[in-house]
Amino acid sequence: MKNILLYLCLSFFAFHSGEDKTRIFLIGDSTMANKLPTDAPETGWGMVLPQYFSEGVEVQNHAVNGRSTKSFRTEGRWGKVLEQMRPGDWVLIQFGHNDQKNTDTTRYAAPQTDYRKNLTRYVEEARAKGGNPILLTPVMRRKFDENGKFVDQHGEYPQVVKEVAKALRVPLIDMHAKSREVIGKMGVEGSKRLFMHLPGKMYTKFPEGKIDDTHFSQYGASVMASLAAAGIKEMGNPLLGLLKTTRFADKFEYELPKIAPAVFRKDTFNILRYGAKSDGITLNTTAINQAITLANEAGGGVVLIPNGFWLTGPIVLKSNVNLHIAKSALLQFSNKREDYPLVKTTWEGQDAIRCQAPISAVEAQNIAITGQGMVDGAGQVWRQVKKEKLTEAQWKKLVASGGVLDEEKRTWYPSQNSLNGVKIQKPGIISAGFNLNNCNEFKDFLRPNMVSLSRCKQVLLEGITFQNSPAWTIHPLLCEHITLRNVIVRNPWYGQNNDALDLESCRNGLVEGCSFDTGDDGICIKSGRDAEGRKRGIPTENIIVRNCTVFHGHGGFVIGSEMSGGVRNLFVSDCNFLGTDVGLRFKTARGRGGIVENIYVSDINMTNIPGEAILFDMYYMAKDPVALNGEKNVLPEMKAEPLGEGTPQFRNFHIKNIVCQGAATGILIRGLPEMPIRNISIENANLSCTEGLVCVEAENIQLKNIGLFTEEKRLMQVQNSKQVTLDGIRYQGPIDLLLHISGQRSADVRLLNTDLKQAKKEVELATEVSAKVYNRK
């Protein structure tokens, strides 16, 4: 019977493949219903659901606030749906919240009698019109007891829905169970952002604020709609084919991360009111921080940095405050290192003592830095500079400006105090015994990150230009729901450790429309270092990066090397990397531990890449990816070591639609003998490079439709790797050797759909290797 119904539905879709759209009707209560703009931010999940279906699907939302299975019918609303229903249409049916109201005879429907009968009638009447009903259990309300244990308020109603679905053989989406899992996982505090927990003076309809644990925020509605879409996928019925796909392998639109936005009251706190002066001389630290404190104490608002030159020391953001920097404003941080006291923070994934960041926040919620103004971190008084990175004239000018040189006369430091830090092992690292009292002799070496946000939630950085950072520029640590939009970072290309963006152990983030020009990594994903990172055990996960450009820097999009807490579920698309040392740079080392997995990359353009276009490297040695003058990057001895908690893992990467013009190496995959890199798929790429493919210590590597346009005569090298599939490899002009296979272990390589006529020699096996090569065109 099930197969017959499936066949009829598929046949109907084929018959209506012309102009007619597949229609989905939604009937239910306020949790599903459309809302008016004046109801903002209240959102029914049925308002979001259409976003998860592809073109050709029409979703009609007939759900109405306050309706039950009884009142939706008696008011004639179901009749209007039935009038237009035609064979092949679908109807999603979800009631229960208002059927419980036993004091209201117009709505109450007892679960075992009227509620059961009403659901049965909806199903039978929809089928009589040729429709396809789907039953949904009611979504959970948010309620926890005094011990933080979740409380179910729906009684018998969800079970009745399940029983009706089973008896009538109707598809079921158990929203009750799915929403309970999500709410419970988010916990008492985190789950509030799903619902209407609103402060006063923010929304027109709710001037006094509101606490409503039944109805959803826009973010909550998107989460609930994704649960419904997941239920459709799980059913595997014909609607599955109508869900909107993405460019990422096997991922639907509803599966992408969802980020709760930061929202602020309109009350404005102009720093001029608190004594700030735009004269380039007055230090405005007190005035700016006072405005932030007062805005926070008033329930939130906008702290305005108006047009002008504003000199300041460290600024500390607080909850519900939007630091807005006007278009023609320059927020200039002090170039006096004594203005930045030592504080406990982190450095490169470890707990450490550093100088206070120019902008920081700790455990703040709903914070932002917005506007089109400029923020300068005075990095020139902090950073050391290597001689090899400057011209002779630039070097002489820098040395003449003051500071000191190291013993080799190859690195400049801004002060002797800064140089002292080079001579100390693990300077400032707390686990090495450093504290706030024993770091003063090398304080200048402990340069701060420019924007340091720790354990913050609902963070927005938008429109701002950050430049001249002392160290890392933007460093969110253990943050959730963070958005960077149209942010610009500009740092000297010769700067060390001045990454543009480092997301460390963060969850649920969006980085879009940003432009980064820096001396170290551009967009970098981290999660702690070595034992401390593994102990923390919090991965960076659920991050979207799109429409970004990176100029210069060691890497365009980077994971690691500090990834000991793990990295997963990243979605990167539509980015340009122009002159970065490496394009896609995934790096780690023994001792890190951690698992990097489920990484999706699509539609990346690169040009003038001095190193690798795509790099997977488990031998990261903390050196520049492209050797400087006088330096050599000597490859390590590839000797197996015992597996342990410090053994890192790279697996499940899906990369496609890549174009690179000019790279030293097209693709380098280098795993460990004891832990190969696994499950890498690269599809649809044109890479103009000196060297083509180097694959060492890897398993299940699939390259499909790859153009390797190289200068060297040997196109590809595979060493100690197995299950390597090279499908549709393209190259130009004659080459001496297509593929060289070497190693101490057996290997198997599949060559498929590749034109071998131009190669003087197709495959060469090293004498010590035992390999199976499958060749099919």
Side-chain angles (χ1 to χ4, degrees):
M1 181 65 180
K2 186 175 181 181
N3 290 335
I4 294 174
L5 287 173
L6 181 61
Y7 172 79
L8 290 174
C9 291
L10 289 172
S11 299
F12 176 80
F13 288 149
F15 178 78
H16 284 271
S17 60
E19 295 183 355
D20 291 341
K21 291 185 175 182
T22 300
R23 297 193 302 177
I24 302 172
F25 298 96
L26 309 182
I27 67 169
D29 54 35
S30 58
T31 60
M32 179 193 278
N34 289 333
K35 313 296 179 183
L36 297 172
T38 54
D39 294 329
E42 184 179 346
T43 309
W45 68 259
M47 298 170 65
V48 181
L49 188 65
Q51 300 174 20
Y52 300 146
F53 285 104
S54 59
E55 294 182 7
V57 177
E58 176 188 339
V59 178
Q60 292 188 18
N61 190 355
H62 293 265
V64 181
N65 290 6
R67 270 52 183 186
S68 67
T69 57
K70 181 178 181 180
S71 61
F72 193 84
R73 176 183 294 276
T74 58
E75 292 176 2
R77 301 180 184 278
W78 174 237
K80 292 180 180 179
V81 173
L82 278 179
E83 285 177 5
Q84 57 177 314
M85 188 175 293
R86 65 192 180 204
D89 286 342
W90 295 81
V91 56
L92 274 60
I93 305 165
Q94 182 186 62
F95 292 98
H97 281 209
N98 299 297
D99 292 80
Q100 293 179 291
K101 299 183 182 298
N102 54 15
T103 59
D104 185 345
T105 58
T106 65
R107 292 188 288 181
Y108 177 62
Q112 296 298 342
T113 54
D114 289 345
Y115 183 67
R116 184 186 296 272
K117 293 176 182 177
N118 292 340
L119 290 176
T120 300
R121 287 185 65 188
Y122 283 123
V123 169
E124 291 176 343
E125 290 168 1
R127 282 177 169 172
K129 294 280 291 189
N132 302 297
I134 298 176
L135 288 175
L136 292 79
T137 54
V139 293
M140 283 285 193
R141 298 183 180 95
R142 176 188 170 277
K143 186 175 182 180
F144 294 86
D145 64 18
E146 61 275 9
N147 298 315
K149 184 178 179 180
F150 188 83
V151 178
D152 183 353
Q153 301 177 75
H154 283 137
E156 300 177 84
Y157 288 87
Q159 183 59 34
V160 170
V161 179
K162 296 177 186 178
E163 292 171 1
V164 171
K166 183 177 180 180
L168 300 180
R169 297 185 179 181
V170 177
L172 173 75
I173 300 176
D174 193 352
M175 294 290 285
H176 184 255
K178 291 178 180 294
S179 58
R180 175 171 186 159
E181 181 180 0
V182 168
I183 296 169
K185 186 177 180 180
M186 289 187 175
V188 175
E189 289 301 317
S191 60
K192 289 179 180 178
R193 65 174 61 97
L194 294 169
F195 295 87
M196 299 274 286
H197 282 247
L198 310 178
K201 299 182 180 180
M202 186 173 292
Y203 297 99
T204 303
K205 187 175 179 179
F206 310 103
E208 303 301 320
K210 188 176 181 65
I211 296 178
D212 178 346
D213 287 320
T214 296
H215 300 101
F216 302 117
S217 65
Q218 184 177 9
Y219 168 71
S222 68
V223 171
M224 296 302 154
S226 71
L227 298 181
I232 289 171
K233 179 184 176 182
E234 292 163 4
M235 286 188 294
N237 63 46
L239 277 179
L240 174 62
L242 301 176
L243 290 173
K244 184 183 294 184
T245 58
T246 68
R247 69 187 72 185
F248 305 112
D250 303 322
K251 285 294 177 180
F252 292 97
E253 184 71 25
Y254 79 86
E255 295 177 296
L256 297 185
K258 295 160 186 63
I259 296 89
V263 184
F264 302 93
R265 292 169 55 176
K266 295 180 180 179
D267 293 359
T268 299
F269 298 76
N270 191 321
I271 62 171
L272 288 170
R273 280 191 258 159
Y274 308 100
K277 295 182 179 180
S278 173
D279 55 15
I281 300 172
T282 302
L283 197 65
N284 294 294
T285 314
T286 299
I288 296 173
N289 282 309
Q290 182 182 9
I292 291 171
T293 298
L294 290 173
N296 166 260
E297 291 175 350
V302 177
V303 171
L304 175 63
I305 309 292
N307 294 343
F309 187 113
W310 307 96
L311 182 64
T312 183
I315 293 172
V316 179
L317 294 179
K318 296 185 178 182
S319 294
N320 301 314
V321 173
N322 174 7
L323 181 66
H324 186 83
I325 304 173
K327 185 175 182 179
S328 297
L330 170 60
L331 187 63
Q332 174 65 62
F333 282 93
S334 169
N335 60 8
K336 297 179 180 179
R337 292 184 290 269
E338 58 267 28
D339 289 334
Y340 302 85
L342 292 171
V343 296
K344 290 183 178 180
T345 179
T346 65
W347 175 249
E348 293 189 335
Q350 295 180 295
D351 292 336
I353 304 299
R354 307 293 293 185
C355 292
Q356 184 176 350
I359 301 176
S360 64
V362 177
E363 295 185 351
Q365 296 193 42
N366 203 48
I367 59 174
I369 307 173
T370 65
Q372 294 180 285
M374 181 81 66
V375 181
D376 188 294
Q380 73 278 0
V381 301
W382 295 96
R383 70 173 75 90
Q384 64 263 36
V385 180
K386 291 181 179 180
K387 181 178 181 179
E388 290 80 3
K389 292 194 174 186
L390 301 182
T391 65
E392 183 177 352
Q394 289 171 332
W395 177 253
K396 287 181 179 179
K397 182 178 180 181
L398 179 64
V399 172
S401 70
V404 297
L405 298 177
D406 65 357
E407 294 180 1
E408 291 79 19
K409 310 296 183 184
R410 301 187 69 86
T411 304
W412 176 89
Y413 291 85
S415 69
Q416 181 62 49
N417 187 290
S418 177
L419 178 58
N420 292 343
V422 181
K423 305 173 184 179
I424 297 172
Q425 187 175 10
K426 297 184 177 181
I429 301 300
I430 292 175
S431 62
F434 291 99
N435 55 54
L436 293 173
N437 300 317
N438 60 8
C439 293
N440 285 308
E441 66 180 26
F442 54 89
K443 174 179 179 290
D444 295 357
F445 182 79
L446 304 177
R447 52 196 168 116
N449 296 333
M450 188 170 177
V451 179
S452 177
L453 308 174
S454 180
R455 298 183 184 275
C456 297
K457 298 177 181 179
Q458 288 174 254
V459 177
L460 172 65
L461 305 180
E462 184 170 26
I464 295 294
T465 295
F466 298 100
Q467 72 166 25
N468 199 15
S469 174
W472 292 355
T473 309
I474 303 170
H475 179 214
L477 169 66
L478 294 162
C479 293
E480 299 181 19
H481 297 281
I482 178 166
T483 299
L484 277 79
R485 183 178 293 116
N486 302 328
V487 170
I488 298 173
V489 171
R490 296 171 51 191
N491 290 319
W493 75 268
Y494 53 80
Q496 296 176 222
N497 305 111
N498 63 356
D499 302 11
L501 170 64
D502 291 277
L503 291 169
E504 182 177 354
S505 295
C506 292
R507 293 173 172 165
N508 304 322
L510 171 64
V511 181
E512 66 176 351
C514 296
S515 176
F516 300 143
D517 192 347
T518 192
D520 210 308
D521 289 327
I523 304 167
C524 195
I525 307 299
K526 300 178 181 290
S527 63
R529 181 169 180 165
D530 300 343
E532 285 189 27
R534 296 195 297 273
K535 183 179 179 180
R536 181 200 297 162
I538 297 179
T540 292
E541 60 183 342
N542 307 330
I543 307 294
I544 297 172
V545 177
R546 62 192 181 205
N547 301 316
C548 293
T549 299
V550 181
F551 304 90
H552 295 110
H554 287 338
F557 179 77
V558 183
I559 299 177
S561 71
E562 301 96 314
M563 35 59 69
S564 302
V567 176
R568 62 194 181 206
N569 302 336
L570 307 186
F571 302 87
V572 184
S573 64
D574 299 298
C575 292
N576 296 320
F577 305 144
L578 312 177
T580 58
D581 290 344
V582 179
L584 297 168
R585 188 185 189 201
F586 310 122
K587 55 182 178 174
T588 186
R590 288 186 175 113
R592 294 284 191 264
I595 300 173
V596 178
E597 62 183 348
N598 303 334
I599 311 300
Y600 300 84
V601 181
S602 180
D603 296 275
I604 307 297
N605 303 316
M606 314 180 202
T607 189
N608 299 324
I609 305 297
E612 297 83 6
I614 302 173
L615 171 67
F616 297 85
D617 192 6
M618 303 183 84
Y619 283 93
Y620 176 65
M621 295 175 286
K623 292 185 177 182
D624 289 346
V626 178
L628 300 174
N629 295 331
E631 293 184 357
K632 290 184 179 179
N633 286 345
V634 180
L635 295 179
E637 179 184 359
M638 294 187 178
K639 182 179 179 181
E641 295 187 6
L643 294 172
E645 63 178 12
T647 305
Q649 298 183 56
F650 281 167
R651 65 192 186 197
N652 302 338
F653 283 68
H654 308 273
I655 301 172
K656 67 178 184 179
N657 302 338
I658 310 296
V659 176
C660 177
Q661 185 181 74
T665 304
I667 303 169
L668 172 58
I669 302 172
R670 185 168 59 179
L672 300 172
E674 68 271 18
M675 180 55 67
I677 292 172
R678 293 189 170 98
N679 305 336
I680 306 297
S681 169
I682 304 176
E683 183 176 356
N684 300 336
N686 281 332
L687 309 176
S688 298
C689 44
T690 303
E691 188 176 17
L693 166 70
V694 178
C695 180
V696 183
E697 304 290 356
E699 292 183 8
N700 191 24
I701 308 300
Q702 299 183 40
L703 273 59
K704 184 175 181 181
N705 191 27
I706 306 297
L708 296 173
F709 308 117
T710 66
E711 298 177 10
E712 291 197 358
K713 295 300 184 180
R714 185 163 66 178
L715 190 70
M716 298 181 289
Q717 304 176 54
V718 174
Q719 178 180 337
N720 285 339
S721 299
K722 59 184 181 180
Q723 298 176 7
V724 178
T725 301
L726 308 172
D727 186 353
I729 302 298
R730 294 172 284 105
Y731 56 97
Q732 290 180 344
I735 57 174
D736 290 342
L737 178 62
L738 181 79
L739 173 63
H740 176 76
I741 303 177
S742 63
Q744 291 75 46
R745 292 184 292 280
S746 62
D748 63 274
V749 179
R750 293 169 173 81
L751 270 170
L752 308 175
N753 302 307
T754 298
D755 185 359
L756 309 177
K757 294 179 181 179
Q758 298 182 73
K760 294 180 180 179
K761 188 174 183 180
E762 297 175 8
V763 179
E764 176 183 87
L765 302 182
T767 55
E768 72 273 17
V769 71
S770 172
K772 295 180 180 178
V773 180
Y774 304 84
N775 183 9
R776 177 173 61 83
K777 183 178 178 183

